Amino acid sequence: MGLREGVTRLAAIIVIGGLASCSDERTSTNELTKPAPKVFTYNSAPVLQHYLALGDEAYANTLQSTLALSTAISNLLTTPTKEHLVLTRKAWQLAHNDYQGTQVFNFRNRLNPLGGKDLSYAIDGWPIQPGLIDYVQDYPYSGFIHHPSLVINEDNLRSQNGATDAEEISIGFHAMEFMLWGDQTDKPRPVTDFESISELSAEQKGQGFKVADMSNNRRRLYLATMMQALQQDIDLAAKQWTPNQPFYQQHLFKLDNKKQFSLILRSVYGWVSDYLIAKHLNPMNQDLTNQESVSLHAKYSGTGKHGLATSLSNVLKLYTSPEDGIKQGVDAIIEQLSKQQAQTLLSSLTTLDLHLTAIAETDKDEKTLAKAQAAALQLQNTLMDIGRSLQISLNAQQMAASH
């Protein structure tokens, strides 16, 4: 290569290098002047306060109706008449219905990282094995009631609750439901089962029985004892939501906005996936198709479907802000994120409300149930989409670990 060619190539390299340098400088300058991507920010404190207030109200309502149930049971045991049995069953339905209204908040209770006691199993455990408690069809002497060697007191009933199997329920709403209705829906338990026995027959005396051993007397004691346990558990659950409790009212407000809103969104997601779909709508579907292992909620009273609309009503209250006042519903944040997603979420909730109300007002119907299931799945998917938009994983275990 000659001198002239070498100089020419060197000059070309210098020019190309200079151009590349200028290009890098322009790119660097453009990157510095390019605006940063918009970060979605929001204030979740009003929404969290709204959530906590609704939880406190739901548990207060349950506490009040449970007190009324306690009074009704006391009246039944004092004066066992058909009228008092009917009134006691109605009081049970009201208290149980009110408790269903706490479910979106009860999901939060189970994730309390500061040691909040989960009372849901003791309060509303189901399905149950009724023969563990009292007589059932074809087995007239089964259960605690007919075994005087088993002492009936609160400690024993609590220790027996789920002792070897999750369906071995001895306390709570559904053990009480069975006691009030019996296991035969076409032939409910008669009020004579609750009449006090004060005298023994000669045969009973000869067999060494005591008055307290009589099945009626043991049934009366069992009902009173389980009512005492239920009252205590409802009272404790309600206290966990009062404004002066450290976890709900102090710890949560120390979290950042994302964690605060995460717990609310995950509570709603847990309600629709774990409570509504898995525990209610799917068992109803099994019942319609006559599959085995049916575990309908409140199957002895036939009132399980009535609590679903009540439960959803608090989810709707949680979502919607008052028309005149502080924007404190979940909609306050979702609308900032995307009006379209907010409209989709509200539409999913109202559609679900329509179909759950239809289930409560009619007998089990395959088409009505299918519509409710589709609406619940749509709500679940909508919540998943919103979670992805907010970079919130709707996973209960991750939520518990994040606090």
Side-chain angles (χ1 to χ4, degrees):
M1 178 174 61
L3 178 60
R4 178 176 297 178
E5 291 177 356
V7 171
T8 302
R9 290 192 63 183
L10 178 60
I13 292 172
I14 293 173
V15 170
I16 292 172
L19 290 173
S21 176
C22 291
S23 176
D24 289 343
E25 287 179 4
R26 283 196 299 270
T27 301
S28 177
T29 302
N30 288 338
E31 288 178 350
L32 290 174
T33 57
K34 184 179 180 181
K38 184 179 179 181
V39 177
F40 177 64
T41 60
Y42 51 89
N43 178 20
S44 61
V47 183
L48 178 60
Q49 186 62 61
H50 182 52
Y51 176 76
L52 296 175
L54 286 175
D56 186 28
E57 179 184 1
Y59 277 102
N61 290 340
T62 304
L63 180 59
Q64 184 176 3
S65 57
T66 306
L67 286 169
L69 173 59
S70 178
T71 299
I73 286 177
S74 179
N75 291 338
L76 171 64
L77 296 179
T78 301
T79 312
T81 64
K82 290 181 179 179
E83 292 75 15
H84 277 145
L85 181 55
V86 169
L87 290 173
T88 302
R89 287 170 175 167
K90 288 181 177 178
W92 181 93
Q93 291 173 16
L94 179 59
H96 181 254
N97 201 50
D98 281 345
Y99 182 71
Q100 301 315 300
T102 70
Q103 292 304 307
V104 69
F105 311 105
N106 182 46
F107 181 77
R108 178 60 236 166
N109 251 0
R110 299 201 300 273
L111 300 178
N112 186 337
L114 300 186
K117 188 176 181 181
D118 174 22
L119 298 165
S120 58
Y121 181 68
I123 293 174
D124 201 44
W126 63 280
I128 75 170
Q129 295 180 6
L132 178 73
I133 301 172
D134 201 353
Y135 72 84
V136 294
Q137 189 173 16
D138 299 328
Y139 295 92
Y141 301 107
S142 63
F144 294 119
I145 301 303
H146 299 277
H147 291 78
S149 60
L150 300 174
V151 178
I152 297 176
N153 59 42
E154 187 179 335
D155 288 341
N156 284 348
L157 295 191
R158 288 190 182 278
S159 64
Q160 289 292 328
N161 197 50
T164 61
D165 187 272
E167 294 186 9
E168 291 182 356
I169 305 295
S170 55
I171 57 175
F173 273 118
H174 297 288
M176 184 179 294
E177 176 195 14
F178 165 68
M179 290 289 282
L180 293 175
W181 273 271
D183 72 316
Q184 301 178 54
T185 55
D186 59 337
K187 188 180 178 182
R189 185 187 296 276
V191 72
T192 51
D193 278 7
F194 298 104
E195 292 177 350
S196 177
I197 303 296
S198 57
E199 295 183 4
L200 300 177
S201 66
E203 182 181 359
Q204 290 168 339
K205 290 179 181 178
Q207 293 175 345
F209 284 108
K210 301 176 182 178
V211 171
D213 296 335
M214 297 296 95
S215 59
N216 273 33
N217 294 338
R218 285 176 62 80
R219 189 176 295 111
R220 288 165 56 84
L221 176 60
Y222 197 110
L223 183 60
T225 304
M226 69 163 60
M227 182 66 245
Q228 179 181 334
L230 178 63
Q231 187 69 65
Q232 290 178 359
D233 290 340
I234 292 290
D235 183 62
L236 181 56
K239 285 181 178 178
Q240 290 187 93
W241 282 86
T242 53
N244 60 347
Q245 291 301 303
F247 173 67
Y248 297 107
Q249 300 295 334
Q250 296 178 25
H251 174 72
L252 295 182
F253 279 106
K254 294 179 181 178
L255 301 176
D256 60 38
N257 285 314
K258 183 177 180 179
K259 286 185 177 181
Q260 287 180 357
F261 193 63
S262 293
L263 75 87
I264 296 172
L265 199 62
R266 285 167 175 155
S267 293
V268 178
Y269 183 82
W271 172 84
V272 69
S273 61
D274 297 348
Y275 169 80
L276 184 60
I277 296 176
K279 296 184 70 174
H280 287 272
L281 296 182
N282 281 349
M284 281 187 188
N285 186 61
Q286 290 178 349
D287 186 54
L288 283 170
T289 55
N290 296 317
Q291 294 183 15
E292 297 180 356
S293 302
V294 176
S295 56
L296 289 178
H297 197 214
K299 63 183 293 184
Y300 305 113
S301 62
T303 61
K305 59 187 181 181
H306 297 290
L308 300 183
T310 300
S311 186
L312 176 58
S313 67
N314 277 333
V315 178
L316 286 166
K317 289 179 183 177
L318 176 61
Y319 176 76
T320 309
S321 294
E323 291 185 3
D324 52 344
I326 300 175
K327 297 285 284 185
Q328 57 186 11
V330 171
D331 62 340
I333 292 177
I334 305 300
E335 285 180 356
Q336 295 178 50
L337 174 67
S338 166
K339 289 190 178 295
Q340 182 178 354
Q341 284 187 318
Q343 291 172 356
T344 301
L345 181 55
L346 180 58
S347 176
S348 298
L349 286 168
T350 53
T351 301
L352 181 59
D353 184 35
L354 176 68
H355 297 310
L356 291 185
T357 301
I359 287 177
E361 293 176 349
T362 61
D363 292 331
K364 292 188 291 292
D365 173 82
E366 190 170 355
K367 291 183 178 179
T368 303
L369 177 58
K371 290 178 180 179
Q373 290 174 323
L377 290 171
Q378 176 60 46
L379 175 59
Q380 187 180 41
N381 292 333
T382 301
L383 290 168
M384 288 290 290
D385 289 341
I386 291 172
R388 282 190 287 267
S389 297
L390 293 172
Q391 295 184 325
I392 294 174
S393 176
L394 299 181
N395 179 287
Q397 286 71 30
Q398 289 184 13
M399 178 181 178
S402 67
H403 291 303

